[in-house]
Amino acid sequence: MNNKKSELLSHQELGTKFDLFSFNEIAPGAPFWHPKGMVVFKELEKLIREALDKQDYQEISTPIMVRKDLFEKSGHFKFYKELMFTLKVDNQTFVLKPMNCPESAIIYSSRIRSWRDLPLRLSEIGRLHRKELSGVLTGLFRVRQITMDDAHIYVRPDQILKEINNLIILINSFYKIFDFKTSYHLATRPDKALGDKKLWDQAEEALAKALEKNKIKYEIQPKEGAFYGPKIEIQVKDSLNRSWQLGTIQVDFNLAERFNLSFINQKGKKEKPIVIHRAVFGSFERFIGILVENYQGVFPTWLSPVQVKILNITDRNEKYAFEVAAELVAEGIRVEINIDNETIGKKIREAEIEKTPYILVVGDREEKAGTVAVRKRGEGDLGAQSFNEFKDRIIQEIANKN
């Protein structure tokens, strides 16, 4: 990638160029995801779900529209009313949810919990809506419709530090996949906050200890915490060197109090859990916007909307091209075939402009030998390979997230 900032395209320009997403005035601040953009979106969903399944998360899904009573109870309506979309239904006021936390509490409270049940990790990939001012909407970076990879982890007091430590490791491992350069910030108690200051001090101390245990340098952001608890913010820079918040880890002593959540401790008494809010991507929209800009459309093979483009030299080789494609598709590889009546040189140029990771050219010689002529993005012509050799290569490359 050329690092001259003047030559870098914005994610909006790249979204159009590579047919990933678009925006329309009929829905300000809400992207329209095109098929190729949805491939990237779904690959990220798959990645986070696979990781969370290994860490004993349980996925939930909660309603997108609820009565405002819920957010009054949680305290959000008082602090975030201006950011909420409200509507009248049956003479009652409903809210398009701007966050998932209160609804997660409803699921927690649906049954009696034991100390043995904790930590209880409830994850949710859900759509949220926030009434951002039109003047601050910025492509995928600041939107009104947000897809959040959220989780709420209910823990005993003795589990806080270990759980935060695990979250830092999880988030760091994700960002390394994308070679993100991160900065960490600890946001402390704001002037307008819920709960006992002593509990806030405990939460801030736990977050700081976890950062120090992982030898992570961080900056204090005084009074920048959420109204219900302090948080670690992970920021990443875009192609123009602007910092954006992505991942967060927040400790909350207030949600359990406001919703009267409890678990039965080892002495048979009721005790309130602590809630850790966390997001890895932050929002899919912002995460993908930064990814698109950082890669400038040149996605690694595992994430590319089209991983292999197959080009036939003559009409005689069309059947073989489709046979090769069928075998790759059976392995889960994303393939496109160009059988247009154009010169092979023009087909190759078009595939290269699209930044396709691999181009396979098939003609009479390849068909007869059961081979494919391989071209790799950035490396050019690799020559003829047996089809099975190429198939094994790309399968391994995808598995290694290359």
Side-chain angles (χ1 to χ4, degrees):
M1 184 179 79
N2 194 324
N3 288 321
K4 294 181 180 178
K5 290 186 174 59
S6 60
E7 297 180 12
L8 297 178
L9 298 179
S10 70
H11 68 275
Q12 295 100 314
E13 293 169 314
L14 292 161
T16 299
K17 180 178 179 180
F18 293 105
D19 196 24
L20 301 172
F21 55 83
S22 60
F23 291 86
N24 191 290
E25 61 184 11
I26 65 168
F32 287 75
W33 291 99
H34 297 202
K36 289 182 178 179
M38 277 305 296
V39 170
V40 177
F41 202 108
K42 290 191 296 182
E43 283 296 321
L44 294 177
E45 280 188 300
K46 180 181 176 183
L47 187 67
I48 188 69
R49 284 191 168 108
E50 287 176 349
L52 299 188
D53 285 346
K54 294 175 183 177
Q55 297 195 17
D56 197 29
Y57 278 78
Q58 300 176 60
E59 187 167 354
I60 62 174
S61 180
T62 58
I64 200 167
M65 185 177 76
V66 295
R67 290 208 320 256
K68 74 168 183 175
D69 312 28
L70 182 72
F71 294 102
E72 287 175 332
K73 186 174 184 178
S74 68
H76 287 94
F77 203 77
K78 176 181 177 181
F79 289 91
Y80 285 102
K81 181 179 179 182
E82 293 76 16
L83 286 174
M84 294 186 181
F85 287 101
T86 58
L87 59 159
K88 289 283 188 180
V89 180
D90 297 332
N91 295 319
Q92 297 183 82
T93 302
F94 282 76
V95 172
L96 292 179
K97 67 173 176 178
M99 61 280 297
N100 294 311
C101 349
E103 296 190 31
S104 169
I106 296 295
I107 290 181
Y108 181 93
S109 65
S110 65
R111 52 172 288 192
I112 296 172
R113 308 288 177 176
S114 161
W115 64 275
R116 293 185 179 87
D117 297 327
L118 307 184
L120 178 65
R121 305 179 183 97
L122 300 179
S123 65
E124 179 169 12
I125 297 176
R127 287 279 169 86
L128 307 177
H129 291 82
R130 297 179 183 174
K131 196 192 296 184
E132 300 281 5
L133 296 174
S134 58
V136 302
L137 298 177
T138 312
L140 294 177
F141 290 163
R142 189 176 290 275
V143 293
R144 286 175 175 166
Q145 179 176 282
I146 308 165
T147 309
M148 187 77 72
D149 73 304
D150 224 344
H152 298 91
I153 305 169
Y154 299 83
V155 298
R156 305 189 305 264
D158 61 297
Q159 296 171 321
I160 296 177
L161 187 58
K162 181 179 180 181
E163 202 65 29
I164 295 172
N165 183 63
N166 289 342
L167 290 174
I168 289 174
I169 293 171
L170 171 68
I171 291 173
N172 270 339
S173 67
F174 259 77
Y175 290 3
K176 283 179 182 177
I177 293 173
F178 305 99
D179 198 29
F180 279 171
K181 301 297 184 287
T182 58
S183 60
Y184 281 75
H185 307 263
L186 177 54
T188 60
R189 186 176 188 270
D191 291 329
K192 295 181 179 180
L194 297 175
D196 188 338
K197 187 177 181 301
K198 290 181 180 178
L199 295 178
W200 275 82
D201 292 342
Q202 289 177 33
E204 290 171 10
E205 183 181 0
L207 292 171
K209 280 185 177 179
L211 288 166
E212 289 158 9
K213 183 176 181 179
N214 285 277
K215 298 179 180 178
I216 293 174
K217 294 180 180 179
Y218 64 94
E219 295 180 10
I220 298 289
Q221 291 185 323
K223 301 183 179 183
E224 291 294 319
F227 70 89
Y228 51 79
K231 60 181 176 177
I232 293 171
E233 291 185 356
I234 300 94
Q235 296 186 6
V236 172
K237 290 187 176 180
D238 64 14
S239 62
L240 297 178
N241 212 35
R242 297 173 300 184
S243 290
W244 296 93
Q245 177 190 315
L246 292 182
T248 56
I249 303 170
Q250 307 178 38
V251 179
D252 183 350
F253 288 94
N254 293 293
L255 191 68
E257 182 71 37
R258 297 182 77 87
F259 282 87
N260 197 27
L261 306 181
S262 65
F263 64 93
I264 307 302
N265 64 22
Q266 288 171 283
K267 296 180 180 179
K269 300 289 182 66
K270 283 187 175 183
E271 188 175 337
K272 295 195 179 304
I274 293 93
V275 183
I276 300 174
H277 309 240
R278 78 101 188 94
V280 178
F281 295 134
S283 80
F284 277 77
E285 288 78 9
R286 183 175 289 178
F287 194 93
I288 291 174
I290 291 175
L291 267 187
V292 169
E293 289 195 4
N294 284 356
Y295 288 134
Q296 287 292 292
V298 187
F299 291 108
T301 302
W302 74 273
L303 196 54
S304 289
V306 178
Q307 295 165 323
V308 178
K309 198 76 175 267
I310 301 174
L311 316 176
N312 63 318
I313 295 177
T314 71
D315 292 343
R316 294 189 303 276
N317 315 122
E318 185 176 317
K319 181 180 177 184
Y320 181 56
F322 277 97
E323 289 172 355
V324 168
E327 284 202 43
L328 292 174
V329 169
E331 296 291 346
I333 296 164
R334 297 184 288 274
V335 178
E336 281 188 359
I337 305 175
N338 184 347
I339 57 172
D340 291 348
N341 188 24
E342 302 284 356
T343 66
I344 194 65
K346 183 176 181 181
K347 289 182 180 181
I348 290 172
R349 285 193 297 275
E350 288 176 353
E352 288 176 340
I353 290 170
E354 294 167 359
K355 306 300 182 184
T356 310
Y358 283 99
I359 301 168
L360 303 185
V361 178
V362 294
D364 292 338
R365 181 170 52 187
E366 288 78 19
E367 183 171 357
K368 184 177 181 179
T371 61
V372 289
V374 181
R375 299 181 68 89
K376 185 175 183 181
R377 183 181 61 200
E379 296 183 21
D381 187 2
L382 303 183
Q385 298 179 10
S386 76
F387 173 62
N388 286 334
E389 180 186 351
F390 170 76
K391 184 170 67 173
D392 291 343
R393 171 181 181 158
I394 192 171
I395 288 172
Q396 190 61 48
E397 189 170 319
I398 293 168
N400 292 337
K401 296 290 184 286
N402 293 325

